[in-house]
Amino acid sequence: MFCSHSSSVRVLSRVGLQNVAALTSSAVLRSAQPNPSVPLDPTLKTLLQGVDLSVSSHKKRTAGDVRSRSLRELEPFQIEQGDVPYYDMDDEENVLNESAQAREDRKSPAARFGSNGVGAVTLPAELQRAIASLINDSDKSQLHSDAKRLFLDEVGARSSWDVAYDVKYKSRKQSYRHATRDATAFASVILPLHYSAVYAVFHHLKHRLGQTWNVQRVIDWGAGTGSGLWAALNAFRGNLTSGEAGSLVSDSSITSYVGIDKRDGLVGIGKELLQRTGSGSLSVTWRKAFHESDRIDRADGQNTVALSAFMLSSLPSQLSKKRMVKDMWESGAHTIILVDFNTKAGFENVAEARQLLLDLGCKDLQDPRSQHLSFRGSHVVAPCPHDRPCPLYQPGASRLACGFSQRLQSPSFLRRTKHVKEGYEDIGYSYVVVQRGSRPNTAVEPVGRVGAVGKEAMEREARARTAMLRELKRADEHQHGGQSASGVDVETENQRHMWLDVDAVYTATTTSFPHGDENVPTNPTQAQISMTDLEKALRREAYRWPRLVFPPLKKSGHIIIDACTAEGKIMRLTIPKSQGKQPFYDARKSSWGDLFPHPPKNRPVERFQSAQFDNGNGPVRGDDIGKRAKGRDKHRKAEGRSYEAVDAKIREEKRKASRKELATEKRLTPDLDIPY
């Protein structure tokens, strides 16, 4: 059986080979015959001939030519001139800077002035080295344990790092044993975050007040390890025209620093960090309380700053908080800065201190002993655009906090101490800056409302108008036999309309809020002003621009902004696309904490917090500020989609329909006497 099967296989294979040979021979015969010519379109035929010429003239590269193989990234190659160009990192950095500057120039100058942020803050190199050397001299495992004990909050499976320091020791022996260790943990974990918040406030003040505001003396309540000192040293560094940067202390305009703090452990670490860095000619004094000898004459206090960063929350009572704020006012400093945490308690501390400083300014105006002083009274520089009571502050019942956020680029020692991998951290803070003197007059001409986006829009409109005028002129000439009856020059008319557009843009952006200020002229001159004069005018205008107290809602056709306005109210501003390309672009690029210079197209809506109380347990839900109510609306919609709700709705609709039918029948049926 096996032999017969194999013989049949051989017969089939032989037959298959014969068929394949026959097919191959037929294919060869068909391939030998010429293909019939295909009629081509003349245009396509010319194009194919050009392709044949380009392919035939192409030169083949030799095997040794570097261009014949694919190059790897950043690989140099020989060019015809014989030079070997390398990738230039400086050129790429310049290109990136130019592109970023081009994107920034698309904003209007006023919007750029209002949104000047510091970005991610980096610790100075000298401070990083000092803290790193301090950590190297300590027990790292013990340092991590101390940091977890002091600042790590573990709630269930989730954990978060706290930025508050409220350690209270039971005895002097315990304080002696733990004070230095706890202060080292504070310097390695909390000091960078506090530094970033204080530096952001100083950076914003320098931008708002200009280069003429020069700080030389700082009095710091709650100095701790010196976060306010390092922030002031870095923020007020001089202009290095020589290109060679010296030490942080020598380059700064700060010449005197007074740190006030009772916590010996934190003060000791602050002194050690300054000693590792070198104080140079800087005069540094550490005290446990504010002394009369530290006061300065108010006439000489323009270059002095009274600072308190994250200290109000650590004070035990309202009396001690008021005493500290009064000491800051009586110190003679021209500028007073208070910073606290972005919590309801921290915001209330800042709001109460703000109101106390304004009240002290009002008393100063009525005091006959201060008649000879040039700076009398007080006003808020930032973040509020007004001196009225805070609209978000409700004593003991504030549900929303006016606060901001600052990002820190985490140094390596911070990540190693916490055992985390993230390269950045955010800290929330509330602050207020109060200066002596009356509020500056802001009745100036509105300038800087048109950027690259607005100019492009006006150019497009001008080109469209030019084309329309040319068509009209051509039609007019055709109708009158080659001569225009109107005699209007197209280019001259176009330039006139462009200036009218610019006037309209400037007139539309009146400086008042929300509907204009009668004291401000509405027809500003179109003369070109210098950048210095422009910044000076914007700096005065910015005192009444609304500030975004919550992140904006960015929709496809409009931008919704909740801002604190010069009227002392929280207003909801809506900037639609129809208002103009430049205002809409500026609103779309705005962010939390910016000053917004454009008034809205429509009347803004006042947002308010409900002051009613529900059985004394707290304020009831009302038209509150900044709430997006996504979860609340979702809950209500879910309740409306339940089976019980649908059934009740259907029953109610049937009941209403039956009542309507019955009423209709009674109305249509005539009154008939029915015999019984």
Side-chain angles (χ1 to χ4, degrees), residues 201 204 310 338-352 354 380-386 388-394 397-406 427-433 545-551 562-565 568-570 592-595 609 625-627:
V201 174
H204 181 70
F310 306 101
L338 289 146
V339 185
D340 211 334
F341 301 105
N342 186 19
T343 59
K344 295 178 183 178
F347 162 66
E348 289 187 355
N349 291 332
V350 173
E352 291 169 0
R354 171 186 179 274
V380 179
V381 178
C384 315
H386 60 88
R388 302 182 182 184
C390 178
L392 290 177
Y393 173 60
Q394 294 182 355
S398 299
R399 291 178 295 147
L400 299 174
C402 178
F404 308 94
S405 179
Q406 178 57 46
I427 180 174
Y429 64 96
S430 297
Y431 78 100
V432 67
V433 180
W545 287 349
R547 185 181 294 275
L548 278 70
V549 293
F550 297 100
D562 287 340
C564 183
T565 64
K569 301 177 182 179
I570 302 295
W592 181 19
D594 289 350
L595 294 169
Q609 285 183 287
I625 306 165
K627 294 293 185 180

Side-chain angles (χ1 to χ4, degrees), residues 23 45-47 89 97 115 154 165 192 242 246 253 255 300 308 328 331 356 378 402 422 487 513 538 566 594 616 625:
L23 291 173
K45 190 174 182 180
T46 305
L47 178 61
M89 298 298 294
N97 292 335
S115 63
E154 295 181 347
Y165 183 80
S242 62
S253 63
T255 58
D300 302 331
S308 175
M328 296 176 69
S331 65
L356 178 58
S378 60
C402 178
E422 290 79 5
F513 201 86
L538 293 177
D594 289 350
I625 306 165

Side-chain angles (χ1 to χ4, degrees), residues 167-335:
V167 178
K168 295 179 176 61
Y169 301 106
K170 296 181 180 180
S171 62
R172 182 173 297 180
K173 182 178 180 181
Q174 186 183 18
S175 173
Y176 178 78
R177 185 170 61 250
H178 290 281
T180 304
R181 284 170 40 191
D182 294 349
T184 305
F186 180 92
S188 59
V189 175
I190 305 301
L191 170 60
L193 293 169
H194 287 189
Y195 165 87
S196 63
V198 179
Y199 179 80
V201 174
F202 278 135
H203 181 272
H204 181 70
L205 276 181
K206 281 187 62 178
H207 177 69
R208 286 285 308 277
L209 299 178
Q211 299 296 331
T212 57
W213 186 55
N214 186 23
V215 178
Q216 298 179 356
R217 180 183 173 89
V218 177
I219 306 175
D220 190 1
W221 276 262
T225 55
S227 57
L229 170 62
W230 294 105
L233 290 174
N234 196 20
F236 298 102
R237 300 188 72 174
N239 297 325
L240 304 177
T241 56
S242 62
E244 297 181 358
S247 64
L248 182 62
V249 176
S250 61
D251 294 337
S252 179
S253 63
I254 304 297
T255 58
S256 175
Y257 175 81
V258 178
I260 303 171
D261 205 317
K262 296 180 179 180
R263 298 168 291 187
D264 295 333
L266 297 180
V267 173
I269 294 298
K271 293 179 179 179
E272 187 171 354
L273 290 176
L274 191 62
Q275 184 179 2
R276 291 173 184 263
T277 306
S279 60
S281 59
L282 177 65
S283 174
V284 180
T285 306
W286 302 88
R287 300 187 185 280
K288 292 187 176 182
F290 183 69
H291 295 171
E292 291 290 336
S293 59
D294 297 326
R295 297 188 182 186
I296 58 176
D297 190 2
R298 289 175 53 179
D300 302 331
Q302 297 187 22
N303 298 329
T304 304
V305 169
L307 171 67
S308 175
F310 306 101
M311 185 61 184
L312 286 171
S313 295
S314 62
L315 295 178
S317 63
Q318 293 292 331
L319 181 61
S320 58
K321 296 175 184 178
K322 290 183 179 180
R323 186 183 298 112
M324 189 193 76
V325 175
K326 287 184 178 180
D327 288 342
M328 296 176 69
W329 173 262
E330 294 173 358
S331 65
H334 185 69
T335 306

Side-chain angles (χ1 to χ4, degrees), residues 411-449:
S412 58
F413 65 81
L414 178 59
R415 298 194 301 270
R416 292 173 182 173
T417 303
K418 288 186 175 182
H419 292 182
V420 295
K421 296 181 180 179
E422 290 79 5
Y424 65 90
E425 290 194 24
D426 297 329
I427 180 174
Y429 64 96
S430 297
Y431 78 100
V432 67
V433 180
V434 177
Q435 273 193 342
R436 296 182 186 272
S438 59
R439 194 169 189 82
N441 183 19
T442 57
V444 295
E445 297 178 355
V447 293
R449 299 301 197 274

Side-chain angles (χ1 to χ4, degrees), residues 399 492 545 555 601 655:
R399 291 178 295 147
T492 305
W545 287 349
K555 306 295 184 179
K601 180 180 180 180
R655 190 179 299 109

